[in-house]
């Protein structure tokens, strides 16, 4: 086996520029998907109609492949609406809606894990439902579900590599471009793998710091 990192070395900056694209997809998808996940979680513990909607939504997005969802939003949107959606818009929309389905289950479980007595005590103190949820229940739930939410963020970051199938110049796509030009596949793909690994480790480290602070709070 012969490796040619000397040939790939000049292209490393080009490949690593994809880190920014990957991060943008992950950040925007998280920014849109997490609030939607919270709303879905609240819907699942409210009245039967909203609970039904939340369950159907989660079932659809958890029961179909993410790649199929991505292709539907990218290729079918122009046909159905007449709007030519960009790869960035299709990616963020797909990842946000998909992530919301998974995160809603995590958040719902975290909320329901809080003992009922705290709701009753807050009611006795005169707190409204929203005040109880925001000031008492959610802070405790976040501390309990943080590891699971971090796993969801990590999965979201890794799944963002699927956007390369639409030609978006993310980390994986850039490594594939270099590989096809130089007919060397192991070296650029290894660089991409290391890039993903470093991003995951950074997220995990930040999550541990946050978890430690929440534990001491």
């Amino acid at each position: 086996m012969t490796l040619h990192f000397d040939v790939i070395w000049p292209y490393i900056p080009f490949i690593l520029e994809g880190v920014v694209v990957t991060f943008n997809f992950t950040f925007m998808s998280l920014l849109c998907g997490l609030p939607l996940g919270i709303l879905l979680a609240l819907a699942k513990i409210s009245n039967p109609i909203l609970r039904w909607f939340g369950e159907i939504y989660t079932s659809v997005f958890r029961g179909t492949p993410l790649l199929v969802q991505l292709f539907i939003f990218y290729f079918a949107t122009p046909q159905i609406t007449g709007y030519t959606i960009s790869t960035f818009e299709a990616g963020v929309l797909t990842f946000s809606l998909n992530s919301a389905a998974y995160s809603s289950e995590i958040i719902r479980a975290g909320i329901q894990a809080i003992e009922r007595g705290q709701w009753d005590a807050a009611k006795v103190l005169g707190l409204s439902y929203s005040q109880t949820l925001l000031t008492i229940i959610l802070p405790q739930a976040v501390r309990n579900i943080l590891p699971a939410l971090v796993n969801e963020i990590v999965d979201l970051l890794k799944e963002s590599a699927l956007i390369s199938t639409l030609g978006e110049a993310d980390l994986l796509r850039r490594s594939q471009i270099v590989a096809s030009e130089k007919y060397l596949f192991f070296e650029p793909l290894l660089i991409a793998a290391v890039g993903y690994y470093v991003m995951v480790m950074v997220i995990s480290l930040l999550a541990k710091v946050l978890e430690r602070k929440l534990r001491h709070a």
Side-chain angles (χ1 to χ4, degrees):
M1 181 177 64
T2 304
L3 300 179
H4 300 280
F5 281 100
D6 56 322
V7 177
I8 301 300
W9 182 260
Y11 297 91
I12 290 180
F14 171 77
I15 296 175
L16 294 182
E17 285 177 7
V19 170
V20 178
V21 179
T22 297
F23 177 79
N24 284 341
F25 270 106
T26 304
F27 177 76
M28 291 301 300
S29 300
L30 181 64
L31 189 65
C32 299
L34 189 56
L36 180 57
I38 294 174
L39 292 177
L40 283 171
L42 296 178
K44 291 175 183 178
I45 60 175
S46 59
N47 64 71
I49 296 178
L50 292 177
R51 189 182 308 124
W52 176 83
F53 171 79
E55 294 295 342
I56 293 296
Y57 178 98
T58 302
S59 176
V60 169
F61 279 93
R62 292 177 65 182
T64 55
L66 179 57
L67 186 58
V68 174
Q69 297 168 18
L70 181 62
F71 281 4
I72 288 175
F73 282 112
Y74 184 68
F75 293 109
T77 297
Q79 175 188 346
I80 296 174
T81 67
Y83 174 71
T84 303
I85 192 170
S86 67
T87 54
F88 184 83
E89 292 171 330
V92 170
L93 180 61
T94 304
F95 298 144
S96 298
L97 296 177
N98 184 274
S99 177
Y102 285 91
S103 60
S104 68
E105 283 295 285
I106 297 172
I107 297 168
R108 177 194 59 79
I111 292 175
Q112 292 184 328
I114 306 299
E115 57 184 13
R116 184 65 194 178
Q118 298 201 35
W119 290 93
D120 297 334
K123 187 175 182 180
V124 170
L125 292 174
L127 296 179
S128 65
Y129 177 84
S130 59
Q131 289 174 325
T132 303
L133 187 66
L134 293 175
T135 62
I136 298 176
I137 304 301
L138 278 182
Q140 295 181 77
V142 168
R143 183 173 57 189
N144 294 334
I145 66 177
L146 184 60
L149 280 180
V150 171
N151 286 337
E152 175 58 27
I153 295 172
V154 168
D155 287 341
L156 184 61
L157 186 147
K158 292 187 293 184
E159 289 168 350
S160 69
L162 291 175
I163 200 67
S164 64
T165 60
L166 302 182
E168 187 71 24
D170 68 335
L171 183 58
L172 177 59
R173 179 60 179 166
R174 287 172 180 267
S175 67
Q176 291 174 324
I177 292 173
V178 174
S180 62
E181 287 183 356
K182 297 301 176 181
Y183 297 98
L184 297 171
F185 294 90
F186 177 78
E187 296 89 338
L189 290 175
L190 178 62
I191 294 170
V194 171
Y196 283 110
Y197 179 79
V198 170
M199 285 190 285
V200 168
M201 289 301 102
V202 170
I203 292 174
S204 300
L205 179 61
L206 293 176
K208 287 182 179 179
V209 173
L210 179 59
E211 187 175 0
R212 193 178 303 116
K213 289 185 177 181
L214 288 175
R215 192 183 305 119
H216 294 158

